[in-house]
Every structure is written in structure tokens, then in C-alpha cells.
Amino acid sequence: MLNNRPDHFIWNTEIVCTFISDNILIPNIYSISVGMEPNTANTDEIDLGFKKLKHFIQDYLQNSIFLNTESDLVKPLSKLDTNLVLFPDEPFDYLVAAILYRKFSVITDKYFTIGFITIDSSVGDHVQYTLTVDCEVEIDLGGDKWWNKDNVNTGTDDHTSWEDLNLKDAPRFSPKVVKGGKSDK
């Protein structure tokens, strides 16, 4: 450890979701491991980056519906309170891993580097897919897509900001005014 901060850390989590393939609803459980290396010695900033990542996973991926953007079900399902996560193709495990790696990296870019992400799923027979900083992904993930933006959008045009969620970057210098000073005695 340097400066009372970890050199790297790994976070393991799970999400339960439903994905739709060829109009079939398939319940699924994803196990996700994320390896992170802090970009700063400021533990408050590291904590904020981790809170953003955790919030995105727990509130926008957990219990969501994964489906292809081109699915006829997007419009009717968008009326539900359940979050939709839209993919450019059928949401197979490698595509999910590649898109989540990109999204997680964009969300945490100011705070730490995502060294790797490993994903496996119950439907995918727990075959693990690991992507690292050096991986060449064979899928075009460029463009103005939700996975390239530092927000909570998952393709449904959710305009919720980190400020709305009280997860905004703290100012670097924030002096506090303390009562006191000159005394009449």
C-alpha cells in the first residue's frame, strides 16, 4: 500500500436479470469480478468512483431486462418500471462482458483503471469471459452509445445524472466556515 490506499483491489458481485432472446424470457444470474487500480491517492475520490460503479450495478443492472435494441418488445417493455438494458445484438455473455467493461471503465475513469472484468452466467454454463485493458474486442463498441457515457443510461435515454443521485465529484478545495473568532471578553 502506498499513501494508505490500496494498489489494486477486486470486487466480486452478482446480478440477477432476465434476458430476452427470440421472444423467450430467460432468467439469468451473472457473476462479475472487477479488478481496479486507483488513479489517485485521495481515498474520497476512490470511494466516490466505487459508489458510482456499485450504484450503477445495483440500481440499473440488478433485476433488469437485457434485450436487443431491435427487438419488437422494446417499446411495450419500456412501459414497465423494470429497467431495460439494450444491446446492439442478442445479449450473449461475451457481448455483455465487452459492453459492461466499457461502461464500467467510463464511469470510473477519473478514480481508477479497470484492469479486468470477468463475467460468467448460469445460462452460459459458467464459462468465464475475461477482458483486460489490453484485450482487442472483436465488436464495434464505438460511437455515441450508452456504454461510452459516464451516466446511468442503459440505452433507454434515462437522463438521471450523478448529481441527481448525489454522487457528484466533490470540489478539490472546500473550505468550511467555523463559528468563532473575536471574543468580547
Side-chain angles (χ1 to χ4, degrees):
M1 290 185 118
L2 299 172
N3 302 325
N4 294 326
R5 70 170 174 90
D7 292 329
H8 66 277
F9 54 99
I10 298 171
W11 181 49
N12 298 311
T13 191
E14 284 188 346
I15 59 169
V16 176
C17 64
T18 301
F19 75 87
I20 299 176
S21 180
D22 298 324
N23 293 331
I24 299 172
L25 295 172
I26 304 169
N28 199 8
I29 300 172
Y30 279 100
S31 296
I32 303 172
S33 292
V34 184
M36 298 166 262
E37 182 178 335
N39 294 337
T40 176
N42 184 332
T43 55
D44 290 338
E45 288 182 14
I46 294 169
D47 289 346
L48 179 61
F50 187 67
K51 284 178 187 175
K52 284 181 169 183
L53 178 63
K54 191 174 176 182
H55 181 82
F56 178 73
I57 291 171
Q58 291 178 345
D59 289 6
Y60 289 86
L61 299 180
Q62 186 69 263
N63 298 316
S64 63
I65 299 172
F66 287 19
L67 72 157
N68 185 333
T69 305
E70 302 300 319
S71 172
D72 295 336
L73 297 172
V74 171
K75 190 171 184 174
L77 289 174
S78 65
K79 296 174 183 171
L80 298 174
D81 288 336
T82 302
N83 191 54
L84 302 180
V85 182
L86 303 179
F87 292 89
D89 200 347
E90 295 297 319
F92 57 94
D93 287 357
Y94 180 75
L95 177 65
V96 172
I99 286 178
L100 292 184
Y101 179 83
R102 177 69 64 97
K103 182 68 169 184
F104 295 174
S105 294
V106 170
I107 289 172
T108 63
D109 188 35
K110 297 177 200 168
Y111 318 104
F112 37 81
T113 300
I114 304 286
F116 72 88
I117 181 174
T118 299
I119 289 181
D120 69 81
S121 75
S122 56
V123 171
D125 204 23
H126 296 288
V127 172
Q128 290 186 338
Y129 295 91
T130 300
L131 297 173
T132 65
V133 174
D134 301 323
C135 277
E136 291 293 325
V137 177
E138 299 295 323
I139 301 167
D140 180 18
L141 296 178
D144 190 30
K145 305 292 186 184
W146 66 266
W147 52 81
N148 291 320
K149 297 177 182 176
D150 180 14
N151 58 29
V152 295
N153 189 358
T154 57
T156 58
D157 294 326
D158 184 333
H159 297 291
T160 304
S161 71
W162 294 119
E163 286 179 344
D164 297 336
L165 300 169
N166 201 23
L167 291 171
K168 184 174 177 352
D169 295 334
R172 296 237 183 254
F173 176 69
S174 55
K176 294 182 182 178
V177 176
V178 179
K179 280 189 168 189
K182 188 175 176 181
S183 173
D184 291 335
K185 293 182 182 180

